[in-house]
Amino acid sequence: MSHAFFRSIFRVLPLLLVLSPVNSSSCTMGNKTAEIRVKYENILSHDIDELVNMSAEYRDRCCKNKKHEHSKVFFCNDTQEIESLQSMACNMLKFFNKQKISKEFRWKAALVSCGTLQVLQCKCERHKKEKVCTQVNTHNNEDRETGEQSKKKCNHEFCELKENISSLRSCWNKFEKIISR
Amino acid sequence: MAVPAAFLAPILLLCGLGLRLAAAHGPTGVECVLFNEEYMTCVWGSRETLTTNYSLYYWYENRSPVVECKRYLWDRGVSIGCHFNQSEIVQFQPFHVLLNASLNGQALEIRSKRMELQDLVKPGAPVNLTIRNMSSNQLQLTWSSPYPKAQCLEHAVKYKSNKDTSWIEHGVKGDIFSFPSVDYEKYYTFYVRSKINSYCGSTQLWSEWSVPVVWGRNTTSKGLAEEQLQWFWIHTVLVPIASCLLLLVLVVLLVRMERVWVILMPRIPNPSKNFDELFITHNGNFQEWAGVPKDMLESFKPNYSESICYVSELPSREIHDPQWDGSNRLPGGPGAPAPPRA
């Protein structure tokens, strides 16, 4: 009897794996390109510009030597721009708690990530990352470091975040170009 | 003394070589531009700055192997750049370039930094600039762009009137520019250029300025220029000549018509000459000189004659003669009664 029970379980589990869609996107705004475009142009693009400008102010001399070492590279794949943006945004959230990076910079990066996920109506695989967005959206301007403290030493995590930001912006540019007439 | 000279020679040779290499101005980098997303050129120098031919190799991250340039750009026998067709261009993929050359047996290699080609797009200049008159002294300028994605463009409009000394520039998001209040006495010149906006890329490359469009008086189109020339001849040549001729005719007529001339320019009488005639011609006869008619002269002459009656006082006598009682009078006097006849 127990053998039959376990056999039935073992049949169902592989069946579930087969039936579940491969690489399923958890983004629900995929077809609403007009709405995405409005939100991106009117709100998100300005935050991205500010983040890029902020990124350019920090010392990045160490980033040129340590490029592509132990860092995940994200590409904006053709016909999979939304999925690529989702991956980039979710990955950027991991920098929120990195103490070696300026708090102001981390918050802004998290804001852009959460904005991207919100516009595309995406979720991240690790659900606890959404807690970051809740924290960022509710405590927008509190407990930020002043400008003097933001001049931290160049480090690998900062370089990786900077690379991530650049990729995210390029992918948004690509997506905007595709959906524009 | 020979030993220091032996050391000096190689040092001087090396210095000369270094200076020569420095003066050769090898490529400092590769500059790539995508022209309207139709083709791309990557240039690394000019004939003046390059001493050898470089070969260009390129690749995209995450795809394609390293490929050599298929169409080099030449300047008087020296390769200065590479031309890429549209099929060879991939945007939103990091692009790398490597320059390779050999000089004096030495291999020279120059790697470019990673490029994002979507940030190197230079759109074509706007075309078909059109001006329309709107209500309440407003002008509307429209244009079109050869770039396929109009929503990825931002524009700049530059304009000036014939009375202005400097250009005024405005940023425009769409492809319409409204000029709020226009002066109809001036003529305006408009230029437009385009750039990829921040939504679709991150570039500082503006297109070339468009062909200008003008509006207002004193426009430079061919037909209006001819009309301007005609008006010029009329105003500055014909009108003055006609006015002068008219004036001349009037003067001639005026001189010829003595009645009019006398009214306009009356003679000032000279009495001296008139009196000559009185005394010389008419011998002082005023009536004759004045032209008094003869019958009037005759009428003034008396047509009767009168004898003069002399009246004298008699000497004083005895006044006793009664016959002579004061009533005697000499005969002949008028009114005097005749003496009584005895």
Side-chain angles (χ1 to χ4, degrees):
Chain A
M1 195 68 179
S2 59
H3 300 290
F5 173 76
F6 283 117
R7 275 202 299 275
S8 66
I9 292 296
F10 284 137
R11 257 184 240 140
V12 169
L13 280 173
L15 201 64
L16 283 171
L17 283 170
V18 168
L19 288 176
S20 64
V22 178
N23 289 337
S24 63
S25 169
S26 52
C27 301
T28 58
M29 284 284 278
N31 290 332
K32 299 177 187 176
T33 54
E35 199 174 326
I36 292 172
R37 196 165 151 260
V38 166
K39 288 181 180 177
Y40 166 70
E41 286 185 8
N42 293 333
I43 304 167
L44 191 57
S45 67
H46 304 289
D47 288 326
I48 293 173
D49 287 341
E50 283 177 14
L51 182 62
V52 168
N53 291 339
M54 200 184 286
S55 166
E57 289 175 2
Y58 295 110
R59 297 168 202 160
D60 62 349
R61 192 171 280 186
C62 70
C63 300
K64 291 164 189 174
N65 298 328
K66 291 184 180 180
K67 211 161 238 183
H68 304 307
E69 287 179 13
H70 309 294
S71 61
K72 201 172 175 183
V73 179
F74 290 92
F75 297 101
C76 195
N77 299 321
D78 294 342
T79 69
Q80 292 181 330
E81 287 81 15
I82 292 179
E83 289 79 7
S84 302
L85 283 167
Q86 180 192 18
S87 298
M88 291 176 192
C90 290
N91 186 66
M92 259 170 68
L93 287 175
K94 80 177 184 189
F95 295 97
F96 183 71
N97 293 314
K98 301 289 182 185
Q99 300 300 316
K100 286 185 181 178
I101 300 173
S102 153
K103 191 171 183 183
E104 189 183 15
F105 191 43
R106 281 188 276 134
W107 270 76
K108 192 69 180 179
L111 193 72
V112 168
S113 299
C114 298
T116 298
L117 294 170
Q118 190 194 5
V119 167
L120 298 174
Q121 293 288 297
C122 298
K123 288 182 181 178
C124 295
E125 288 174 2
R126 295 183 185 181
H127 293 289
K128 59 184 175 182
K129 286 191 177 177
E130 268 80 17
K131 288 183 185 176
V132 173
C133 291
T134 308
Q135 194 177 350
V136 164
N137 290 330
T138 51
H139 302 276
N140 195 14
N141 282 319
E142 293 176 12
D143 300 330
R144 298 273 194 91
E145 288 177 358
T146 59
E148 291 86 21
Q149 291 181 359
S150 65
K151 291 179 183 176
K152 297 215 173 189
K153 200 175 173 183
C154 181
N155 56 78
H156 166 70
E157 284 160 341
F158 168 76
C159 298
E160 196 179 332
L161 175 58
K162 196 169 174 175
E163 189 74 25
N164 211 152
I165 291 167
S166 178
S167 300
L168 184 81
R169 186 189 64 174
S170 292
C171 200
W172 266 116
N173 290 154
K174 182 179 180 183
F175 184 61
E176 173 77 6
K177 222 166 183 177
I178 289 166
I179 62 178
S180 294
R181 278 173 288 138
Chain B
M1 283 302 289
V3 173
F7 281 115
L8 275 172
I11 291 167
L12 285 169
L13 192 66
L14 281 168
C15 288
L17 189 66
L19 281 169
R20 192 183 165 194
L21 281 172
H25 295 296
T28 54
V30 181
E31 289 185 10
C32 298
V33 177
L34 269 84
F35 293 94
N36 211 45
E37 292 185 5
E38 292 168 0
Y39 66 95
M40 178 171 74
T41 59
C42 290
V43 177
W44 54 83
S46 64
R47 181 64 181 89
E48 286 76 24
T49 59
L50 297 170
T51 53
T52 185
N53 284 327
Y54 283 83
S55 300
L56 181 140
Y57 298 88
Y58 67 94
W59 68 95
Y60 293 93
E61 262 181 49
N62 198 33
R63 60 164 76 198
S64 81
V66 178
V67 179
E68 188 180 354
C69 171
K70 294 184 179 63
R71 282 161 294 276
Y72 283 98
L73 302 172
W74 299 91
D75 182 8
R76 288 167 280 174
V78 177
S79 64
I80 61 166
C82 179
H83 182 278
F84 296 83
N85 275 348
Q86 198 173 36
S87 58
E88 295 166 332
I89 300 169
V90 178
Q91 295 185 52
F92 303 102
Q93 287 287 337
F95 178 71
H96 293 266
V97 163
L98 173 70
L99 289 181
N100 222 335
S102 65
L103 183 66
N104 299 328
Q106 271 189 324
L108 298 173
E109 204 175 84
I110 299 165
R111 282 179 181 265
S112 73
K113 55 185 178 183
R114 193 176 82 171
M115 289 182 265
E116 299 281 347
L117 298 184
Q118 68 275 8
D119 296 340
L120 301 172
V121 175
K122 181 174 179 177
V127 294
N128 297 333
L129 269 65
T130 309
I131 295 182
R132 288 198 304 167
N133 282 325
M134 309 297 285
S135 59
S136 59
N137 288 2
Q138 198 175 359
L139 289 184
Q140 196 175 71
L141 173 66
T142 57
W143 57 89
S144 57
S145 177
Y147 186 74
K149 303 264 184 184
Q151 289 180 334
C152 280
L153 291 178
E154 63 179 84
H155 309 276
V157 176
K158 176 174 84 168
Y159 64 89
K160 189 166 79 101
S161 76
N162 58 330
K163 301 286 171 66
D164 295 329
T165 52
S166 60
W167 293 94
I168 301 166
E169 196 165 325
H170 279 289
V172 179
K173 280 199 168 179
D175 50 6
I176 296 176
F177 174 68
S178 291
F179 192 69
S181 60
V182 66
D183 188 343
Y184 286 95
E185 296 301 315
K186 298 178 184 176
Y187 76 91
Y188 297 87
T189 307
F190 294 88
Y191 290 88
V192 185
R193 64 177 181 178
S194 308
K195 186 172 80 74
I196 302 294
N197 61 28
S198 59
Y199 306 136
C200 298
S202 176
T203 172
Q204 300 303 318
L205 287 171
W206 284 95
S207 72
E208 299 300 321
W209 286 107
S210 64
V211 173
V213 68
V214 294
W215 184 92
R217 298 180 70 186
N218 258 359
T219 54
T220 55
S221 64
K222 191 180 175 185
L224 285 164
E226 287 174 356
E227 193 181 328
Q228 281 284 310
L229 195 63
Q230 282 179 3
W231 277 109
F232 169 77
W233 280 107
I234 290 169
H235 283 147
T236 56
V237 177
L238 284 179
V239 168
I241 290 173
S243 305
C244 289
L245 283 174
L246 187 66
L247 200 65
L248 197 65
V249 165
L250 285 173
V251 166
V252 166
L253 285 175
L254 211 62
V255 170
R256 296 277 304 220
M257 291 177 69
E258 196 175 341
R259 280 183 288 177
V260 177
W261 182 255
V262 165
I263 291 168
L264 290 175
M265 303 286 286
R267 287 185 186 177
I268 300 169
N270 187 359
S272 61
K273 290 184 182 173
N274 290 344
F275 285 107
D276 286 342
E277 198 178 333
L278 169 65
F279 295 108
I280 296 171
T281 309
H282 299 284
N283 292 322
N285 188 341
F286 182 82
Q287 289 93 343
E288 190 181 329
W289 173 76
V292 178
K294 281 186 178 176
D295 50 353
M296 192 176 284
L297 281 174
E298 294 293 326
S299 70
F300 282 117
K301 289 180 183 174
N303 53 1
Y304 61 91
S305 63
E306 289 181 4
S307 60
I308 299 172
C309 179
Y310 292 98
V311 178
S312 63
E313 188 177 353
L314 290 174
S316 59
R317 286 183 178 180
E318 297 267 343
I319 307 174
H320 298 297
D321 190 344
Q323 287 187 358
W324 295 96
D325 188 17
S327 60
N328 292 337
R329 288 185 178 93
L330 290 171
R341 292 174 175 238

